[in-house]
């Protein structure tokens, strides 16, 4: 409805004052940012400015990690709608048909809100995937210390989900780094029971199928005693009490093979 757009352009300052009075800004939005947000919404409606819609998305992405950023944006757009309708209906020369006015305003604002929610949802999903990836790497980080040797240090308890991540990271890391030896360091694992031992052996066997030697280090006396009591044998897997001894063994073995 061109009448509404003309009225907006003629009363931009009054519209801003109506809008600003009724929108409570969070701490991360100062007066300048509030003015920019109003200008973006105003441009989208009054000038059909698609670039302003992109700026609105950029504005949200900039404040994405702030609390209430989406809530503030949606409330701002909704309040702009209300302020615009109030201004149109109170206009001295108003000849707007109420039904047509509401239809036109809904036609402008509904897509903006829908796009905002969609963009925010996509941003959340992307952020969630990034966080999952970070957590996955921290759960079982592969650390190369030479062209031949990588270390996978494990800290904390190992449950079924984490055991699966350990196996995945091992196989991906071996393929990526092309190492000949991979050390699984369980020094920081407080409990090694049948469950943990079985998963460690499965991970070691999977790595060995790729042609890489898997060595488990950090076997403390109490862990060794537990494994014996449980009847768990690690005869097919090389083990050492600590990482230093394991690396010494591999280094000496490499020197002997070069002779």
């Amino acid at each position: 409805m061109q009448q509404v757009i003309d009225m907006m352009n003629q009363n931009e300052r009054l519209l801003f004052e109506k809008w600003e009075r009724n929108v409570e800004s969070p701490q991360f939005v100062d007066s300048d940012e509030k003015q920019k947000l109003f200008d973006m919404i105003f441009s989208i409606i009054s000038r059909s400015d698609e670039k302003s819609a992109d700026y609105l998305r950029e504005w949200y992405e900039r404040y994405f990690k702030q609390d209430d950023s989406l809530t503030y944006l949606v409330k701002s757009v909704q309040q702009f709608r209300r302020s615009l309708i109030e201004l149109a209906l109170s206009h001295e020369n108003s000849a707007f048909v109420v039904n047509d006015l509401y239809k036109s305003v809904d036609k402008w604002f509904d897509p903006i809100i829908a796009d905002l929610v969609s963009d925010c949802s996509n941003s959340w999903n992307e952020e969630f995937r990034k966080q999952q990836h970070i957590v996955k790497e921290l759960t079982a980080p592969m650390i190369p210390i030479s062209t031949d040797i990588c270390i996978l240090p494990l800290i904390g308890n190992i449950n079924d989900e984490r055991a699966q991540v350990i196996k995945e990271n091992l196989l991906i890391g071996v393929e990526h780094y092309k190492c000949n030896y991979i050390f699984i360091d369980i020094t920081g694992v407080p409990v090694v029971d049948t469950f943990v031992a079985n998963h460690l052996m499965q991970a070691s066997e999977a790595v060995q199928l790729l042609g890489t030697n898997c060595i488990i280090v950090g076997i403390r006396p109490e862990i060794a005693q537990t494994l014996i009591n449980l009847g768990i044998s690690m005869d097919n897997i090389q083990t050492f009490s600590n990482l230093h001894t394991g690396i010494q063994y591999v280094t000496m073995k490499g020197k002997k093979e070069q002779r």
Side-chain angles (χ1 to χ4, degrees), residues 108-240:
W108 293 330
F109 284 95
D110 286 349
I112 297 175
I113 294 175
D115 286 346
L116 263 180
V117 172
S118 176
D119 288 341
C120 293
S121 177
N122 291 335
S123 296
W124 284 330
N125 289 333
E126 181 62 26
E127 189 70 15
F128 179 69
R129 283 192 291 270
K130 287 179 181 177
Q131 289 174 354
Q132 276 189 316
H133 181 69
I134 292 171
V135 170
K136 190 174 181 179
E137 287 187 334
L138 292 175
T139 295
M142 181 77 81
I143 304 170
I145 62 170
S146 72
T147 55
D148 280 343
I149 300 172
C150 285
I151 301 170
L152 187 98
L154 301 179
I155 299 173
N157 294 317
I158 298 174
N159 55 25
D160 194 55
E161 183 179 353
R162 191 176 180 207
Q164 187 61 38
V165 171
I166 291 169
K167 281 186 276 190
E168 289 177 6
N169 282 14
L170 264 175
L171 296 175
I172 292 171
V174 167
E175 178 64 24
H176 178 73
Y177 292 111
K178 309 293 183 185
C179 53
N180 292 322
Y181 295 93
I182 174 73
F183 288 91
I184 301 179
D185 188 351
I186 63 170
T187 304
V189 179
V191 177
V192 178
D193 53 15
T194 306
F195 171 83
V196 174
N198 285 335
H199 275 292
L200 290 175
M201 287 190 288
Q202 288 173 16
S204 300
E205 290 168 1
V207 168
Q208 288 168 354
L209 288 174
L210 296 179
T212 296
N213 297 291
C214 189
I215 301 172
I216 297 178
V217 298
I219 303 290
R220 304 186 298 277
E222 63 270 25
I223 291 178
Q225 187 63 51
T226 299
L227 294 176
I228 291 172
N229 292 338
L230 292 172
I232 298 172
S233 173
M234 287 192 167
D235 292 341
N236 296 327
I237 301 171
Q238 188 76 54
T239 63
F240 291 96

Side-chain angles (χ1 to χ4, degrees), residues 3-4 21 59 63 76 82 85 90 100 108 112 125 131 165 213 216-218 226 229 231 252:
Q3 282 180 295
V4 180
R21 275 198 307 271
W59 190 96
Y63 293 107
S76 296
R82 284 192 291 270
I85 291 173
S90 64
D100 290 343
W108 293 330
I112 297 175
N125 289 333
Q131 289 174 354
V165 171
N213 297 291
I216 297 178
V217 298
T226 299
N229 292 338
M252 293 300 295

Side-chain angles (χ1 to χ4, degrees), residues 58-73:
E58 290 173 8
W59 190 96
Y60 171 73
E61 289 173 359
R62 190 162 70 249
Y63 293 107
F64 170 68
K65 293 183 180 179
Q66 298 285 352
D67 292 338
D68 301 326
S69 54
L70 175 59
T71 302
Y72 173 65
L73 267 181

Side-chain angles (χ1 to χ4, degrees), residues 47-61:
R47 304 183 184 93
S48 299
D49 188 351
E50 293 183 1
K51 286 187 177 180
S52 292
D54 292 335
Y55 295 149
L56 201 60
R57 293 187 184 94
E58 290 173 8
W59 190 96
Y60 171 73
E61 289 173 359

Side-chain angles (χ1 to χ4, degrees), residues 3-4 7 10-11 87-97:
Q3 282 180 295
V4 180
M7 183 272 298
Q10 292 166 10
N11 297 273
L87 181 63
L89 294 178
S90 64
H91 201 256
E92 291 181 2
N93 300 318
S94 177
F96 303 125
V97 178

